[in-house]
Amino acid sequence: MRDFLTALLLMLSGTAIAADYGSLQIDSGEQQVALIELYTSEGCSSCPPADKWMTALKERDGLWRDYAPIALHVDYWNYTGWTDRFSKQRYTSRQQQYVRDGNVRVAYTPGFMANGEEWRGWFSGDALTMQNPPVGNLSRGLKGDSIALRFDPIAEVDEKLVVNIAILGMQLVSDVQAGANNGKELKHDFVALNVQTIDLESSISGFRALTQLDDIDSETNELALVAWVAAAGNQAPLQTVGGFLSSSND
């Protein structure tokens, strides 16, 4: 498997690199790694405690092995007087698609999704527990800005698959000057700075993809990367792989 990923990365070795995200190869393992999505906003007065809870996941056992967190900042609170610089309409659309698909009744913040299903345990202080059934291995090979992914499902998959790749910012700080959190210093981790979606190509030996990561404008060099596979037209993740990066992107 590692030889396969290395060969794919060497195919792009002559390509100009816009950003250097380090070099790293990671396997998810066959047990499902749960994608934990937090829909949040700096314009939401009840979101800071949820953001703090996400930060605490850095110190919890099971990070990247059992679950991978991602904070998606929505833009529908920007009208209140403070524009969340991490917000993207794409993240709002993703949350709204969950509503249309029936995975959650209404879009709200803070809102948690665990493997595509609404999770309200945070509000009652419940522990985050995942079933992590065996689904297949998702491998990620990274060198510079070139990334190779391969998914080997346990069960036969007849659907078209896509892979979503997100660069996450860590230890980000905002001094909010207006809106519901006016005067507060907000701290964030696992913030989605960018998400790319590409098709996985089917082959006899599995599903694979090879692409370049987008360059990002970030105030931090403390980054993570999460990739998750899903059926085209269905946002619920099948398998996820993630980990911290060492980046020289200034």
Side-chain angles (χ1 to χ4, degrees):
M1 179 62 69
R2 293 187 182 276
D3 291 342
F4 168 81
L5 292 173
T6 300
L8 284 179
L9 291 169
L10 287 174
M11 290 170 60
L12 289 180
S13 60
T15 305
I17 294 178
D20 184 0
Y21 295 102
S23 180
L24 188 65
Q25 293 188 357
I26 297 179
D27 291 346
S28 66
E30 290 193 347
Q31 303 300 120
Q32 187 179 54
V33 178
L35 182 70
I36 307 301
E37 303 171 62
L38 167 62
Y39 290 89
T40 184
S41 170
E42 291 185 342
C44 159
S45 61
S46 56
C47 284
D51 295 330
K52 184 177 180 180
W53 182 88
M54 286 285 277
T55 290
L57 293 181
K58 291 190 296 184
E59 309 302 326
R60 287 191 53 178
D61 185 42
L63 176 63
W64 310 129
R65 184 193 68 223
D66 299 328
Y67 61 86
I70 180 172
L72 298 153
H73 286 236
V74 298
D75 65 355
Y76 51 78
W77 290 113
N78 289 351
Y79 78 94
T80 60
W82 178 255
T83 298
D84 185 341
R85 71 187 190 280
F86 305 120
S87 66
K88 293 184 185 296
Q89 201 282 325
R90 174 177 182 172
Y91 307 156
T92 299
S93 295
R94 180 174 174 86
Q95 188 183 33
Q96 292 172 338
Q97 186 62 51
Y98 274 134
V99 176
R100 289 190 291 270
D101 291 343
N103 300 63
V104 61
R105 282 177 40 183
V106 65
Y108 62 92
T109 56
F112 286 92
M113 303 293 290
N115 264 353
E117 298 295 333
E118 183 181 20
W119 181 65
R120 298 188 62 86
W122 175 80
F123 295 97
S124 54
D126 294 346
L128 179 63
T129 57
M130 297 287 105
Q131 296 300 317
N132 304 108
V135 294
N137 187 61
L138 177 58
S139 299
R140 185 196 80 193
L142 178 67
K143 185 174 180 61
D145 69 342
S146 302
I147 184 167
L149 300 113
R150 175 167 171 164
F151 180 48
D152 296 289
I154 290 177
E156 183 176 349
V157 177
D158 296 324
E159 303 168 286
K160 179 180 178 181
L161 299 181
V162 299
V163 61
N164 301 276
I165 309 165
I167 298 175
L168 311 181
M170 310 295 294
Q171 297 191 15
L172 297 166
V173 180
S174 294
D175 293 315
V176 180
Q177 301 298 318
N181 290 306
N182 185 24
K184 294 182 180 179
E185 181 184 76
L186 302 183
K187 298 179 180 180
H188 309 293
D189 286 287
F190 304 106
V191 176
L193 303 177
N194 187 52
V195 179
Q196 300 169 240
T197 302
I198 60 173
D199 293 337
L200 277 173
E201 299 297 329
S202 177
S203 68
I204 296 177
S205 57
F207 296 83
R208 58 189 182 183
L210 179 66
T211 192
Q212 318 273 152
L213 292 178
D214 289 340
D215 197 3
I216 60 168
D217 182 15
S218 174
E219 64 198 62
T220 178
N221 284 334
E222 297 188 47
L223 303 171
L225 189 147
V226 170
W228 67 95
V229 174
N234 186 343
Q235 295 188 149
L238 299 174
Q239 182 59 295
T240 303
V241 66
F244 293 111
L245 301 178
S246 58
S247 173
S248 60
N249 182 33
D250 296 326

